[in-house]
């Protein structure tokens, strides 16, 4: 996945749901056929972009609150980004 492809993918996800974005194992490992190293790089770049856009970013196993509900980033999810409503 090139940087341009990742940028398009992130923008598409934000268009679908501006408040809550998720990257799953299926998307990155199966759909995009990325290696573990490539997935790590995609997640690093995605985290930077989401944080620059005012999102809070969580990775597998992290606890977060969304719409007043306590949740955990599940084992089949790599990343969850939530728009920070305080910005």
């Amino acid at each position: 996945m090139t940087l341009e492809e990742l940028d398009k993918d992130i923008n598409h996800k934000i268009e679908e749901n501006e408040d809550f974005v998720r990257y799953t194992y299926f998307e990155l490992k199966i759909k995009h056929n990325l290696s573990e190293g490539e997935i790590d790089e995609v997640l690093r770049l995605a985290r930077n972009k989401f944080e620059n856009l005012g999102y809070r970013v969580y990775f597998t196993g992290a606890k977060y609150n969304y719409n007043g509900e306590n949740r955990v980033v599940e084992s089949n999810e790599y990343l969850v980004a939530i728009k920070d409503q305080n910005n």
Side-chain angles (χ1 to χ4, degrees), residues 2 27 29-30 37 39 52-53 56 62 75 77-79:
T2 67
E27 287 176 87
K29 189 73 174 170
I30 308 301
I39 289 170
N52 288 337
L53 292 172
R56 288 174 280 131
S75 60
E77 299 172 316
Y78 280 122
L79 177 149

Side-chain angles (χ1 to χ4, degrees), residues 24-39:
T24 65
Y25 173 89
F26 178 81
E27 287 176 87
L28 298 180
K29 189 73 174 170
I30 308 301
K31 184 177 171 188
H32 292 293
N33 195 31
L34 300 178
S35 70
E36 290 301 318
E38 291 168 325
I39 289 170

Side-chain angles (χ1 to χ4, degrees), residues 6-16 49 53:
L6 177 60
D7 194 52
K8 284 182 182 178
D9 195 53
I10 289 172
N11 290 336
H12 178 72
K13 285 180 170 291
I14 290 172
E15 286 174 14
E16 287 180 340
K49 173 144 181 148
L53 292 172

Side-chain angles (χ1 to χ4, degrees), residues 21-69:
V21 179
R22 134 183 34 221
Y23 272 98
T24 65
Y25 173 89
F26 178 81
E27 287 176 87
L28 298 180
K29 189 73 174 170
I30 308 301
K31 184 177 171 188
H32 292 293
N33 195 31
L34 300 178
S35 70
E36 290 301 318
E38 291 168 325
I39 289 170
D40 289 344
E41 183 66 8
V42 163
L43 295 176
R44 184 184 69 78
L45 294 169
R47 179 192 65 213
N48 289 342
K49 173 144 181 148
F50 284 122
E51 287 177 347
N52 288 337
L53 292 172
Y55 285 77
R56 288 174 280 131
V57 180
Y58 304 92
F59 295 99
T60 307
K63 296 177 183 179
Y64 64 95
N65 186 292
Y66 181 64
N67 286 342
E69 185 178 313

